[in-house]
Each structure stands twice: as structure tokens, then as C-alpha cells.
Amino acid sequence: MSEFWLISAPGDKENLQALERMNTVTSKSNLSYNTKFGIPDFKVGTLDSLVGLSDELGKLDTFAESLIRRMAQSVVDVMEDSKGKVQENLLANGVDLTSFVTHFEWDMAKYPAKQPLVTVVDTLAKQLAQIETDLKSRTAAYSTLKTNLENLEKRSMGNLFTRTLSDIVSKDDFVLDSEYLVTLLVIVPKPNYIQWQKTYESLSDMVVPRSTKLIAEDNEGGLFTVTLFRKVIDDFKIKAKENKFTVREFYYDENEIRREREEVTRLLSDKKQQYGPLLRWLKVNFSEAFIAWIHIKALRVFVESVLRYGLPVNFQAVLLQPHKKSSTKRLREVLNSVFRHLDEVAAASILDASVDIPGLQLGNQDYFPYVYFRIDLSLLD
């Protein structure tokens, strides 16, 4: 499973023994893989400041998770033609995300533990805010480019009634620069080809004999040229419609056709030029954002453990990786049983849903007698 539970319990003898019991039961029952999760000793400050940090870290945790999911989706969007290689670009410090989480070590160089906690949190918040700002600007530019290109490419798709004709027709298909003559393009249903050949010259006066030519086809019909005098255009259109022939409005402009083709070439070139730098930026900054997110999880465990278990700081953090989805309920029961002594009343109410304690949303399992945070990587798979 791509899910982890980060828990903590007091570090006294009784609770270290409880942790050992937890490891024994979960191992024998094949419920989870457990490892110690190292968190440095921070400058605690006042309890009031920790309460404020607890709220701030909760919001920062949500923001960081949202950011890395958006970045992961951006990688998927950019690698539209190589989606099988997406996971190769969603790494943290050059290793897969599961390995990074299970072998987590606090980065003392980037986030010095000797600094006040509020300073460490502020550093993380500013780092993630800058990544988000850059993400918006970089992906917006690429998205606009991609959308413009897709719109142009869509014009060359569809049927003969809607698609662009600039890549179908050529200068030789038209009578150009004539004061009296004009070439029209007519869409003829496939079953009506013979009828068209027999009748187009008589649909109106002044149609040039033997001037029709099939220049393109799709599943439904064909695109024919026909040359006639300008003054009978309206009459010809009316008669063509009565016979289920559709005159496609089109004016051959060589400069406009050249401009459209050059625009497609330019957009393809620009997209290719932006692809590499954008993907590299996403890869580097996804790693930075993910690393910051796991550091935020560590900070939340520290702050909540101090608030829950008190001073002096003495707790043990453990990372659990449930083996399968079906075992999570049993794993939760084991944890609640092992650590129920930390809060007998709350733990009992969790095990007995009939007990109602104000302030505890036990139906949703929002409260546990131990500190608990979830790390869900499933949406990044």
C-alpha cells in the first residue's frame, strides 16, 4: 500500500514496552511494516506558541499535500506522450517516494533544528509558497501554448463541413484574379457523386463545363470544385442546396494559408523548446515540495506530542506501513488496544461506539489515544 501511519507514544519505559508489543503483534499478524521515525529535539518555546503552531502546521500540511498533487498532475500533463515514465520523474532526493519516507532523516542544513520552531515553519511556508507561484506561471505559459496548438490541430480534424481546408486545397484548384469567373467548393454526399457529375453544369446558367474535380474525401462525402461566373453564385447555391449539395464558404488566400501553416510550425517548435526545461523544473521542485511536506509531518508529530504528553520532551515516533487495505481496521484495533492506557476514557469510547464523549468525533475515528498522522501516496501512483 502507498499509505503510511505516523504515530508517537511517550518515551517512558511503560510505553516503550507498549511499542514493542505493537511491533510484535503487527509483525506476527502481518498487519504492517514498522520503522522508527527520527525527529530531532527542537526548541520548544511556550505552550501557547505550540498551540498556534499546531494550527498553522495543519494548514501548511494541507497546502503542501495539495501542491505536490498538482505538481504530479502537471508532470502527467506534460508527459502526455510518455505516461509510462511519469513515476521516473516523481522522486524525492533521487529515490522513490516510499523509500524516502521509510528512510527519512531530518535535513539539518536546510532546516536547522537549533532555530526556533516558528522560524523553521516560516522557512517551509515561504519555500512552498515560492514553488506554487513558479508552478502557476510556468504551467500557465505551457498550457496556453498547448491549448493554442490543440485548437489549430482540431481545425484539421472533423468532417468536410467544419475542418480547415488550408491543408487540402492548392492554388491550382482555383481560378484566381478573374473579374468574371470564380471557383466554388461543394460538398457532395457519397451516394450522390453520379448525380453531381450529371447535373452540376445545369444547376444554373454560366457554369463552366467539365470544371469539377474531386480534391478530398471523408467518410460521408467528397469535396468538389466547380467554376462559374460570379453573377450566378447566389442562384447556383440555391439550386445546389435543393439537390443536397452544400457550397462550402471558402476564399483562397495564399498568405493566410501560409500564415496558418507557419503558426502551427512555430507552436510545435515552442512546445518542444519548453518541454525539457519545464519537465526538469517540475522534477526538481516536486522533490523539494515532497521533502518539505514530510518535514512538516515530522514537525506536526513533534508539536502534537509535546502538547499531548507534556514536558520534558520524551516520545518515540514510529512509521507504520499497512500491508493491505483490508488490514487497516484490524491494525487500528491493535493500536487502540496497545495504547488505550494513554487515555482510558477516550480509548474505551473508540472501542465502544455506544459511549458518547463531547468534543470527540469518534464515529469518524478523529481522535486516538496516541498522536497519529496519515501520509497517503496513493494519488501519486
Side-chain angles (χ1 to χ4, degrees):
M1 284 181 64
S2 301
E3 177 182 327
F4 298 89
W5 295 0
L6 188 52
I7 71 168
S8 79
D12 55 43
K13 183 177 180 180
E14 179 186 4
N15 284 290
L16 290 178
Q17 290 174 344
L19 285 170
E20 286 300 320
R21 288 199 304 276
M22 176 196 74
N23 287 331
T24 299
V25 173
T26 57
S27 177
K28 284 185 176 180
S29 301
N30 197 31
L31 295 176
S32 64
Y33 173 73
N34 310 335
T35 56
K36 287 186 178 181
F37 193 84
I39 300 176
D41 291 329
F42 295 101
K43 293 183 177 180
V44 175
T46 65
L47 289 178
D48 283 345
S49 67
L50 286 182
V51 171
L53 276 178
S54 175
D55 182 58
E56 185 176 347
L57 282 167
K59 296 175 181 176
L60 192 57
D61 186 355
T62 301
F63 172 71
E65 182 173 0
S66 169
L67 178 60
I68 64 171
R69 297 202 189 289
R70 280 181 282 153
M71 296 185 79
Q73 185 58 51
S74 293
V75 172
V76 172
D77 293 341
V78 170
M79 299 188 69
E80 54 189 322
D81 298 325
S82 306
K83 291 188 176 180
K85 297 183 178 180
V86 166
Q87 292 301 320
E88 297 175 12
N89 293 277
L90 298 180
L91 306 176
N93 260 0
V95 300
D96 65 86
L97 305 184
T98 295
S99 296
F100 180 84
V101 173
T102 54
H103 297 87
F104 173 78
E105 292 184 5
W106 186 272
D107 190 335
M108 292 292 187
K110 190 178 291 185
Y111 313 111
K114 292 183 179 181
Q115 290 183 340
L117 271 175
V118 66
T119 302
V120 177
V121 173
D122 186 57
T123 298
L124 285 160
K126 288 179 178 178
Q127 178 190 5
L128 292 172
Q130 186 59 55
I131 290 176
E132 184 193 40
T133 299
D134 293 344
L135 174 68
K136 287 180 178 179
S137 62
R138 288 172 180 268
T139 54
Y142 188 81
S143 178
T144 299
L145 179 63
K146 184 178 175 183
T147 299
N148 291 340
L149 182 58
E150 287 174 349
N151 288 339
L152 282 176
E153 290 176 339
K154 282 179 182 177
R155 292 178 61 187
S156 63
M157 301 168 64
N159 59 36
L160 291 171
F161 290 93
T162 58
R163 61 158 294 158
T164 182
L165 302 179
S166 61
D167 59 338
I168 291 178
V169 301
S170 68
K171 185 177 182 180
D172 295 337
D173 296 324
F174 296 85
V175 173
L176 300 173
D177 303 321
S178 171
E179 183 179 353
Y180 301 105
L181 294 175
V182 64
T183 300
L184 300 182
L185 297 177
V186 183
I187 301 171
V188 179
K190 280 190 173 181
N192 298 48
Y193 279 9
I194 295 176
Q195 180 190 355
W196 166 258
Q197 293 286 358
K198 289 181 177 181
T199 63
Y200 80 90
E201 293 180 7
S202 59
L203 288 178
S204 75
D205 297 332
M206 300 183 175
V207 175
V208 177
R210 295 185 298 279
S211 63
T212 193
K213 179 175 66 173
L214 177 64
I215 58 175
E217 282 187 296
D218 62 15
N219 293 331
E220 299 172 2
L223 186 69
F224 288 80
T225 61
V226 61
T227 302
L228 56 143
F229 279 72
R230 291 182 181 275
K231 63 181 183 180
V232 298
I233 288 178
D234 291 339
D235 183 53
F236 184 87
K237 287 182 177 179
I238 292 172
K239 295 291 178 53
K241 186 176 181 180
E242 290 175 356
N243 286 271
K244 298 182 180 179
F245 307 139
T246 305
V247 176
R248 171 77 190 266
E249 297 295 339
F250 181 82
Y251 174 71
Y252 185 86
D253 184 332
E254 199 165 15
N255 291 330
E256 179 64 21
I257 290 174
R258 185 187 305 112
R259 186 204 63 77
E260 186 175 316
R261 289 172 179 170
E262 289 174 350
E263 179 69 3
V264 172
T265 301
R266 183 187 67 79
L267 289 173
L268 283 170
S269 176
D270 289 350
K271 183 182 177 184
K272 186 176 180 181
Q273 288 177 3
Q274 289 190 26
Y275 173 85
L278 177 58
L279 185 58
R280 285 192 293 273
W281 184 90
L282 285 169
K283 184 175 181 178
V284 169
N285 286 275
F286 174 86
S287 174
E288 291 296 311
F290 185 85
I291 291 169
W293 183 43
I294 303 305
H295 279 75
I296 291 167
K297 290 290 188 184
L299 283 171
R300 293 196 74 186
V301 171
F302 179 88
V303 170
E304 296 303 323
S305 296
V306 174
L307 290 174
R308 179 78 67 91
Y309 308 136
L311 295 171
V313 177
N314 184 25
F315 67 90
Q316 176 64 58
V318 179
L319 183 74
L320 293 82
Q321 183 177 16
H323 284 316
K324 50 189 176 181
K325 192 75 174 178
S326 59
S327 67
T328 55
K329 182 178 180 181
R330 172 58 182 154
L331 179 59
R332 180 69 68 202
E333 292 172 351
V334 169
L335 295 180
N336 289 337
S337 175
V338 169
F339 295 110
R340 64 182 300 167
H341 62 279
L342 294 176
D343 191 337
E344 289 287 353
V345 177
S349 64
I350 290 173
L351 296 174
D352 181 1
S354 64
V355 178
D356 181 27
I357 300 179
L360 299 182
Q361 300 178 18
L362 300 172
N364 295 325
Q365 298 285 285
D366 287 341
Y367 180 88
F368 308 103
Y370 44 88
V371 171
Y372 161 80
F373 293 104
R374 184 167 174 260
I375 302 173
D376 184 7
L377 306 184
S378 60
L379 294 181
L380 300 177
D381 290 344

